[in-house]
Structures are given as C-alpha cells and as structure tokens.
Amino acid sequence: MSKKVVLAYSGGLDTSVAVRWMTEEMNVEVVAVAADVGQGGDWDVIKARALAAGAVDVVVVDVREEFARDFVGRALKANALYEGRYPLVSALSRPIIVKHLVEAARAHGADAVAHGCTGKGNDQVRFEVSTAALAPDLEVIAPVRGWGITREQSIDYARKWAIPVSVTKESPYSIDQNLWGRTIECGVLEDPWAQPPEDTFELTRPTATEPAELTITFDQGLPVALDGKTLGLSSLIGEVDRVVGSYGWGRIDMVENRRVGIKSREVYECPGALALLMAHADLESLTLERDLAHEKARLEPRWAELVYDGLWYSPLKAALDAFVEESQRHVSGDVRLRCEPGGRCFVAGRRSDVGLYDYTLATYEAADAFRHEDAEGFVRLWGLGVATWAARQARR
Ligand code: ARG
C-alpha cells in the first residue's frame, strides 16, 4: 500500500503542482488540508483544484476564531513586533496550520506531513519545528525545497497534468495573507532601494476623505467591542482593518533578518494589527504598574523572536505566555483612535475603571492631594549614595 501524506495546501501553483508531483514521483497518496485563517478565497474552487491535481481527499478547516483567540490574541497581549516592526502575520499562522495538519494526519492515518515551502524562508522552519513538537513520529516532506524547478517549469507541469491554476496574469509578488495582515515579497521589491509601487497594496489604499474616530473596548487585554458594539475577535479585527486601512495607514517596509541567515526586503500591510497593537500598548500605559510594565517590555521582543523563529510550541514560549496572561488582568478600558486623511492614525484618548492614573496625585490644580512634604526626604535618601561619592571620590 502506498504511503499517505497530508499536505498543507494553499491552492496556489506550488502546492497544486506538489500534489501531483508527490503522487507521481514518490508514489504516495496526498490528502490536501487547507486552513481558513482569514486569507479570503473561494474554497470550492480551491477544493476542486486540489482534486484535479490528484489529491485523494481535501479537508478545509475554518480556524478563524481559533486563530484570532489563541494565536493573534496572544500576540496582541504580548505587543508582539519582530525587530520592533513586523506583527508576525505568517509566523502566527504556521503553528495553527500545523496543529490542524497533525489532526488531519491522525484522522487519515497518514505517515507524513508535507509543506510547499522553499529552503530560503522562515516558514519551513515553523512548519517543521512545530511538527516536531506536536507529532515527533510523523515524517516531514518538503517537495518544493527539493525539486529545483523554475516557475516556468512548474507552469508547464500544471498544464501537462491539466491542473487548473490561474497563472496567466498572476501577481508579480509572493503574497501571504490572514486576519492579522498581508505580506508581500519578490519582484521589484527585491531591490531594497526601490519604492514599493502602489500595486503592492490592497488593504491600505487611501480612499477615506473625512476623519473618523474608533473607540475600542478592551477586557483583560483583548478587544471586545467597537464603538460600544460587542464583536467577536475576528470580526473586530476585520472591521478595524477596513476602517484604518482606508486612510492608507498600516504599511511597513523593512529589511528583515530571517532565521536562516538571509536579509530580506519585506513589505507588509497590517492596518488592523498595527492599530490594535498601538491601542493595546497605550491602554497598558494606563493600567500596568511601573515595574510590571518595564519587565513586560523587556520580555516582549523575546516572545516575538521565539514565534518568528518557529518556537511557538516550546517551553520558554509557554512560560512567557503565562507571564503575559497574568499581566493582562487589569488591561481593561477604552482607547479612542483617530484617523485622518493623509495617512494618520493615532491614540486620541484612553480611560479605564481600573486605571492607575490618579488625578488628585497628578494635577497641578487645587484638587492636588499629593503630600509634597514627603518628597524632600525621599529625594535626599534616593541621592544619598551619589552625594557621598561626590564628596569623597568624584573628580572635579
Ligand atoms: N518574512 C515574513 C515571515 O517570515 C513573511 C513570510 C511570508 N511567507 C510566504 N510564504 N510568502 O514571517
């Protein structure tokens, strides 16, 4: 009996060709597994394509709510930005795809999982390390990494096997998309000096002509309502994405350090993600005690780096998650975002019933309740060591 393989299937040229190629060249049966992480797309067309390519079965799993809650939600609580800028769009989706790939492998009694990544990127790392964590007994097959054929040859191969892929006027870019944003690579973008042409962008086309305000309500670190209306996390993200994106805000253009040692020019559009991250971090400035805030800020880049590096399922990441979760107990309240034509989006105000801002301590007006007499002794003791050093040792 031939081996059974579950393939993470996107519906694109590479994974479609991979279905036929593995079936022919490796004599395996391929089950195609596609996960809906909010990338959009016609799932009936994608299913039909996988079958036309030779898959023995196709599984489409709608994981949008799970992705929002268990993956994106954690990234938001951790204010996660790789190298200070990239909100981990693709890095967040790979571990959930692997989770469902492994489930499908079990359900179909498969011997191996497969992915369509090349050898130059981070996604192969995320797929394989996540599989090693969740199902160490499963073999991993990476046909695209091994096959060494050009895009032209891929297209010919698809034609030869009558795989219906629409490649005639395909995007000149390599795109990955989900609830948390859109990543754009390749083509003219490979020159870091070249400005990304406007056709690079889909989510951030500036169409709004009037300013707008959005009030985002957070409960324990997660956004739960928009302008007073309760929304599920994935719809809320979609709505913020749409509004903020219409101001042309939320683009990132950076040269990024991949895990495999390559520097790469990356363009992202993540209006919803960046707006929510900005709002969340702002609310923390009001609700987190100082030492907790400072320690959390030190750990956040580490969290982002672990996830970027494919270590979603790892002991350090789990321990950091526990810290982040505990830190969010009082991150509840409202943040007012203002968007203005010309590509502006900023926090215009914040409030919280459990905020640590105390007007009577902060004010310089008559309501002042701060005990000014306490300050004198505090400052003298705070500076006592320095004063002693200055008297005895400081060079003048
Ligand atoms: N550079 C980003 C990352 O490593 C984006 C990767 C996009 N992936 C893709 N298969 N097109 O997370």
Side-chain angles (χ1 to χ4, degrees):
M1 218 179 82
S2 54
K3 262 207 221 169
K4 203 174 249 184
V5 178
V6 288
L7 167 71
Y9 183 70
S10 72
L13 175 68
D14 279 347
T15 50
S16 300
V17 167
V19 171
R20 176 57 68 184
W21 193 87
M22 284 193 291
T23 307
E24 298 303 319
E25 306 296 320
M26 302 179 71
N27 188 32
V28 297
E29 290 188 342
V30 179
V31 175
V33 178
D36 182 354
V37 283
Q39 66 270 52
D42 186 331
W43 294 105
D44 289 334
V45 171
I46 291 172
K47 268 187 186 171
R49 190 176 292 164
L51 293 173
V56 295
D57 205 347
V58 195
V59 182
V60 177
V61 273
D62 181 353
V63 301
R64 284 174 295 177
E65 274 319 314
E66 183 190 359
F67 182 53
R69 186 186 66 234
D70 297 344
F71 293 79
V72 169
R74 284 197 194 163
L76 180 58
K77 289 174 179 175
N79 296 322
L81 292 170
Y82 178 65
E83 298 189 334
R85 301 182 69 189
Y86 166 48
L88 298 171
V89 179
S90 309
L92 290 171
S93 73
R94 281 6 181 216
I96 190 175
I97 293 172
V98 171
K99 178 174 176 241
H100 288 274
L101 204 58
V102 167
E103 277 173 22
R106 299 305 185 209
H108 285 81
D111 315 280
V113 299
H115 62 71
C117 306
T118 70
K120 294 174 72 168
N122 296 310
D123 290 327
Q124 57 173 345
V125 179
R126 298 165 185 153
F127 267 113
E128 295 182 31
V129 176
S130 297
T131 305
L134 297 182
D137 58 303
L138 289 178
E139 191 193 333
V140 180
I141 302 173
V144 175
R145 190 166 61 197
W147 70 25
I149 62 174
T150 65
R151 192 173 171 78
E152 292 304 305
Q153 289 168 321
S154 260
I155 294 170
D156 286 346
Y157 192 88
R159 221 168 263 146
K160 177 176 153 207
W161 289 96
I163 304 169
V165 231
S166 50
V167 281
T168 32
K169 184 78 187 75
E170 264 223 350
S171 161
Y173 308 111
S174 163
I175 310 285
D176 187 39
Q177 189 167 345
N178 63 48
L179 220 54
W180 211 221
R182 185 166 176 269
T183 76
I184 311 116
E185 301 168 311
C186 302
V188 291
L189 302 176
E190 286 178 355
D191 174 3
W193 178 251
Q195 184 181 341
E198 273 308 298
D199 76 352
T200 316
F201 302 106
E202 263 182 20
L203 309 178
T204 55
R205 297 207 177 123
T207 51
T209 52
E210 298 298 321
E213 283 197 5
L214 277 178
T215 300
I216 303 167
T217 305
F218 286 86
D219 181 36
Q220 302 199 336
L222 287 183
V224 293
L226 210 53
D227 294 327
K229 197 171 136 228
T230 304
L231 282 177
L233 190 52
S234 73
S235 339
L236 188 146
I237 294 166
E239 188 58 16
V240 176
D241 216 39
R242 194 185 59 73
V243 175
V244 175
S246 73
Y247 290 83
W249 189 89
R251 298 178 178 181
I252 303 155
D253 175 355
M254 67 190 282
V255 176
E256 169 182 305
N257 289 294
R258 289 191 182 164
R259 180 60 285 188
V260 293
I262 300 171
K263 279 195 191 290
S264 158
R265 198 285 182 86
E266 304 279 334
V267 175
Y268 303 113
E269 40 180 2
C270 311
L274 293 182
L276 287 167
L277 285 161
M278 176 167 73
H280 174 266
D282 190 282
L283 185 60
E284 284 191 335
S285 73
L286 180 65
T287 53
L288 291 193
E289 179 275 333
R290 179 180 184 263
D291 280 326
L292 176 57
H294 290 186
E295 199 55 40
K296 182 167 183 283
R298 273 190 274 273
L299 296 172
E300 285 166 357
R302 192 75 182 99
W303 192 99
E305 196 171 74
L306 288 171
V307 172
Y308 184 89
D309 289 349
L311 298 171
W312 179 273
Y313 303 109
S314 68
L316 177 54
K317 153 75 171 43
L320 292 181
D321 274 342
F323 173 90
V324 170
E325 195 53 39
E326 171 64 25
S327 75
Q328 300 299 291
R329 286 174 61 178
H330 302 294
V331 184
S332 303
D334 298 329
V335 178
R336 195 151 58 92
L337 282 187
R338 185 173 169 84
C339 301
E340 292 174 356
R344 274 162 57 79
C345 174
F346 55 93
V347 173
R350 73 289 288 157
R351 67 182 174 198
S352 168
D353 292 339
V354 288
L356 299 175
Y357 179 87
D358 185 329
Y359 174 77
T360 67
L361 290 179
T363 185
Y364 288 91
E365 311 286 328
D368 186 7
F370 179 74
R371 289 169 34 135
H372 290 258
E373 63 278 19
D374 289 353
E376 193 182 330
F378 167 75
V379 178
R380 192 177 308 120
L381 293 191
W382 174 253
L384 187 57
V386 170
T388 308
W389 163 81
R392 309 244 169 123
Q393 295 180 346
R395 255 191 270 158
R396 269 181 265 271

